[in-house]
Amino acid sequence: MDKKLEPIVKSLQDKFSATFEEFRDEVHLFVKPEQIVDALTLLRDEYNFELLSALTAVDYYPQETPRFHVVYQLTSIAKNLSVQIRVPVNGSSPKVPTATHVYDVANWRERELLDMFGIEFDGHPDPRRILSPEDMEGHPLRKDFPLGYEEPQFTFNFDEIDLRKPYAKE
Amino acid sequence: MGVEQKLGNMGVVTTTLEGVVNWSRTNAMWPMLFGLACCAIEMMSAQSSSYDMSRFGMELMRASPRQSDLMIVAGRVSKKMGPVLRRLYDQMPEPKWVIAMGDCASCGGVFNNYAIFQGVDEVVPVDVFVAGCPPRPEALIHGVMTIHEKVKGESFKQYAEKYKQTT
Ligand code: SF4
């Protein structure tokens, strides 16, 4: 771990009883969903993490519970540091408080997570899908989302598939 | 287009009205550019000097559907692009034709997933499919020539029946 990161990790451990993991010099801090806004505010105001460089999620279904990790990747340009905060959440419609009032950039990224993983962000100003069409069902980046959409057409099943293919009208 | 040979020294050509109309349609077909992905690069190349589609009267790629009668769908059509494509197709004046260029536009290609239409024939009726990933400019030009053959074979009766159905 970077020397400059040690006090930061320590203070997060004290304040939020955060656990942390280290992998190839990268620090991952785990906090609870209700603490995330405070943790982000602390990091931004006290420790110069002025940039939320990535906000994404991982679905560990079915190996792990809780299945989702919401990942906040923070960068401090002033100190040349980066740290990762992870919020484990579970269930079919998990909820995390929104970070839009801490980092403006979180707005579209949270919409993307809502779209792709179905993670809801409490208090988000504009909770709509961002990439897929509005009327789409399901969340494509979930591990239990069906992979293929159409069966490939070969000579032996050509007619059968042709019958149920939704051809356009004039 | 060989008119000189037919003319001889008489100065008169006899033909049918359908023949003249279809001949003028094929030789002044204005394609709408619909470059959606990598296939668009080959479509541009088919327009450029070494392949030069303007030999067939197609040097004008229109950006507006109201000025075009051929839609070349070059690339994969995402689920969000589908309604847009259909809307542009509906804005094109009749008669109109569609070429699905490339594997993606024809059948989904390598993208068998939730985000891409498995063939643009789910959105608009397609006249000619051009295979390849991407098809070479020659293949696209061959597709266009196939459309021309189709147009030359069309008759006013067919149009009349088509409009009876749609209206
Ligand atoms: S057919 Fe190939 S080149 Fe054309 S859009 Fe699809 S992937 Fe790209």
Side-chain angles (χ1 to χ4, degrees), chain A residues 86-112:
Chain A
R86 283 179 173 237
V87 179
V89 277
N90 207 0
S92 61
S93 58
K95 277 200 169 70
V96 180
T98 179
T100 40
H101 46 276
V102 190
Y103 293 102
D104 275 344
V105 70
N107 190 322
W108 281 18
R109 304 229 166 115
E110 286 178 356
R111 279 176 66 186
E112 187 187 355

Side-chain angles (χ1 to χ4, degrees), chain A residues 116 129-134 136 140-141 145-152 165-170, chain B residues 79-80 86 89-90 94 96 106-107 112-114 116-125 162 166:
Chain A
M116 291 292 147
R129 282 181 182 266
I130 191 169
L131 298 171
S132 337
E134 292 279 307
M136 183 169 169
L141 289 193
F145 189 84
L147 258 191
Y149 151 66
E150 195 190 58
E151 224 183 314
K165 205 168 151 66
Y167 288 113
K169 308 242 161 29
E170 275 289 326
Chain B
K79 282 283 156 74
K80 236 178 171 172
R86 178 73 212 194
Y89 176 81
D90 288 340
E94 292 276 357
K96 52 195 173 188
S106 305
C107 65
N112 190 0
N113 62 24
Y114 62 92
I116 305 290
F117 274 108
Q118 302 302 298
V120 70
D121 50 354
E122 292 182 15
V123 190
V124 293
K162 200 166 128 189
T166 48

Side-chain angles (χ1 to χ4, degrees), chain A residues 18-128:
Chain A
T19 51
F20 94 97
E21 274 175 19
E22 201 182 335
F23 180 73
R24 292 186 183 158
D25 289 343
E26 278 181 20
V27 178
H28 311 256
L29 286 148
F30 289 81
V31 301
K32 294 193 188 65
E34 57 273 18
Q35 299 168 329
I36 182 65
V37 174
D38 292 338
L40 290 175
T41 317
L42 178 85
L43 284 168
R44 184 192 65 179
D45 295 345
E46 303 279 317
Y47 298 109
N48 300 85
F49 283 92
E50 59 278 87
L51 178 67
L52 176 66
S53 43
L55 169 48
T56 180
V58 192
D59 186 3
Y60 289 107
Y61 181 84
Q63 291 95 339
E64 282 184 29
T65 37
R67 62 183 280 190
F68 297 110
H69 285 183
V70 183
V71 182
Y72 298 77
Q73 182 79 44
L74 300 175
T75 305
S76 165
I77 297 168
K79 292 184 177 166
N80 190 18
L81 282 179
S82 71
V83 69
Q84 197 178 72
I85 316 277
R86 283 179 173 237
V87 179
V89 277
N90 207 0
S92 61
S93 58
K95 277 200 169 70
V96 180
T98 179
T100 40
H101 46 276
V102 190
Y103 293 102
D104 275 344
V105 70
N107 190 322
W108 281 18
R109 304 229 166 115
E110 286 178 356
R111 279 176 66 186
E112 187 187 355
L113 295 191
L114 172 72
D115 188 356
M116 291 292 147
F117 290 94
I119 298 170
E120 283 172 38
F121 287 88
D122 262 343
H124 191 282
D126 185 18
R128 285 182 295 142

Side-chain angles (χ1 to χ4, degrees), chain B residues 54-65:
Chain B
S54 63
R55 285 178 293 161
F56 313 108
M58 305 183 61
E59 68 270 39
L60 275 173
M61 285 295 229
R62 306 313 291 184
S64 157

